[in-house]
Amino acid sequence: MFEKPEELKKIFDEKAKAAEDTGAVEQLRIEFLGKKGFIQGLMQELRNIPNEKKKEAGQKINETKQFIEEQIARRLEELKKAEERKLIEATESYDESMPVNVDLGSYHPITLVRCELESIFLSMGFAVEDYSEITDDYNCFEALNIPKHHPARDMQDTYYLSTNQLLKTHTSAAQNTILRKYKSNLESGNPIRAIFPGRCFRNEKIDACHENTFFQMEGIMVDKDISISNLIYFMKTMLSEVFQKDITVRLRPGFFPFVEPGFELDIQCLICGGEGCSSCKDSGWLELCPCGMIHPNVLTAAGIDPEQYTGFAFGLGLTRLAMMKYEVGDIRVFNSGNLKSLSQFTDKSFFDPDSIKEA
Ligand code: PHE
């Protein structure tokens, strides 16, 4: 009887018990199953076994081989789990007094400007609303007094989806939804005040001051007796807060089917100081905030009686504002994904743990 496979199993069992990490088990695998291992050695010995016993002996060797393979796999699994557990336990008790040594991220400049504006408007009683980037013809145009074939649509060509939907060309696309959402305010004697920032899309030839994907922030206020002076007040307050200095602005008539009267609020280019540069198309002025009194048809479309209520709307160019505030001369930087450019604007001391300790 060929006993060696049985003996080998016993030897393996003992050694396996002593192997306490995955490295030791790997050693065992080489020792027993490797090219020059014990199993291979037994195979060689088969040559010396008489023919009639070869089959039985071969079977025994194979069984032993299989047994060792299974044991190794099981032991490896056990040890891996134990090692993972140890690692988790070790990381759970980390040293809180150690300095943080990770590369902290930064905010995108448009996010920074958006957050700043949101807190300014929140302090003035405005709600901050979100709206989808995909909308439909009704919300983007019809509800805004821009019927089919109106020439105002030419300036707002966009990306149309096969589902009869489109990517919104301006944040005004949310006006109808937001007006409807808050119109019960009016019934209870309160104004509608909301801002809704968002990403907009247009079929645009890209250059230093035009992008096909950009951000706007829309604002609306509706109540009894809202007038242009309310609009001008909010615009001025907002701009002086954002720039923390006197900004030269000008208001000129502008046409948008959803406001009447409509204006263009321009600010003097902060990049060239009004002398003319590529960002302001050499005019010294930048269109920053088209605005106006909400057209009665828009109020009616949202179920609000224009005889009783009036309101203003503005569509602030958030991307433009970020360009002005951070003196970025080329709009293409914002969507470039260039971290070297984009990470400069976050005040890193905000994240600095030492500055928190001092505070
Ligand atoms: N939605 C307009 C645009 O993107 C801007 C605008 C908003 C004009 C609100 C007036 C009032 O061109």
Side-chain angles (χ1 to χ4, degrees), residues 270-330:
L270 295 173
I271 291 172
C272 61
E275 282 177 11
C277 66
S278 64
S279 307
C280 59
K281 286 195 240 153
D282 289 324
S283 71
W285 293 92
L286 264 167
E287 283 177 22
L288 184 69
C289 191
C291 50
M293 301 305 292
I294 301 179
H295 195 287
N297 289 356
V298 175
L299 292 175
T300 309
I304 295 171
D305 180 4
E307 296 289 327
Q308 277 196 62
Y309 300 102
T310 49
F312 66 74
F314 61 86
L316 189 79
L318 213 53
T319 302
R320 284 269 160 85
L321 193 63
M323 284 176 84
M324 289 291 102
K325 176 157 171 133
Y326 296 116
E327 299 182 10
V328 176
D330 193 320

Side-chain angles (χ1 to χ4, degrees), residues 12-21 24-25 28 75:
F12 173 81
D13 263 344
E14 260 159 49
K15 287 202 169 197
K17 271 180 212 147
E20 281 180 341
D21 57 48
V25 177
L28 274 187
R75 189 83 184 114

Side-chain angles (χ1 to χ4, degrees), residues 159-175:
Y159 302 86
Y160 288 84
L161 312 180
S162 56
T163 49
N164 250 344
Q165 289 172 304
L166 48 91
L167 299 187
K168 71 168 185 255
T169 57
H170 51 176
T171 40
S172 307
Q175 275 194 21

